[in-house]
Amino acid sequence: MALNFRKSGSRDNQMSRTVSVISLIACIAGIILILLDIGNLTDRNIYLMTGIGAFAAGIFIFLIGKSFVIARKKEDQENGHR
């Protein structure tokens, strides 16, 4: 039983790292897109709008990934693991 918990814990850490990397990539891509054409601050600037969307998506991906890990740990605690 302890072996299964240890495996799920490492799986949670791996998922957390993967989601963090994906969100970081999305945020960096968003920042690059924003900086490509920041002089034209209009709603018709496709780079600016896409960059803002990618940056916001990166933040949401990070928050959702962390909430899944926290929920999984809470579930394990309620089931008597650790």
Side-chain angles (χ1 to χ4, degrees), residues 10 12 17 29-30 36 42 53-54 58 60 71:
S10 66
D12 290 344
R17 273 187 261 124
L36 281 177
T42 65
F60 284 123

Side-chain angles (χ1 to χ4, degrees), residues 15-28:
M15 182 184 77
S16 177
R17 273 187 261 124
T18 303
V19 170
S20 295
V21 168
I22 291 170
S23 68
L24 184 64
I25 290 170
C27 285
I28 290 172

